[in-house]
Amino acid sequence: PPAAAPFALTDAGELRALLEGAGFTRVTIIPVELTVRYPDFDEFVLRSVQAMAAIVPALAALPPGQLEAQAGGIAAALAPLV
């Protein structure tokens, strides 16, 4: 499904087969785990919405400033729950 696109190549064997099929001959796959820390809740929400924009065309198509406004609205709605 389109929403899974950023995570579509999580299977090392499938990724290796794709790369080797494309002509790469020295394929090494190294899993990487990251811990991300945000200075505050608002920054976390903003970065999350920005990441969603990579897979949700409607978010990516928003005019400048609207993505941030949407993130602010989401943060405000969630703030009482945090």
Side-chain angles (χ1 to χ4, degrees):
F7 310 103
L9 296 175
T10 58
D11 180 271
E14 180 182 357
L15 178 58
R16 176 176 277 102
L18 286 170
L19 293 171
E20 289 174 348
F24 290 91
T25 57
R26 293 174 25 166
V27 176
T28 302
I29 298 172
I30 302 169
V32 176
E33 185 175 315
L34 300 174
T35 298
V36 179
R37 293 189 184 359
Y38 299 94
D40 55 44
F41 179 68
D42 291 338
E43 185 72 14
F44 165 75
V45 172
L46 175 60
R47 297 298 171 210
S48 296
V49 171
Q50 289 173 331
M52 285 183 250
I55 58 173
V56 178
L59 286 175
L62 289 174
Q66 283 295 327
L67 189 68
E68 291 78 6
Q70 293 294 324
I74 292 169
L78 293 176
L81 305 173
V82 176

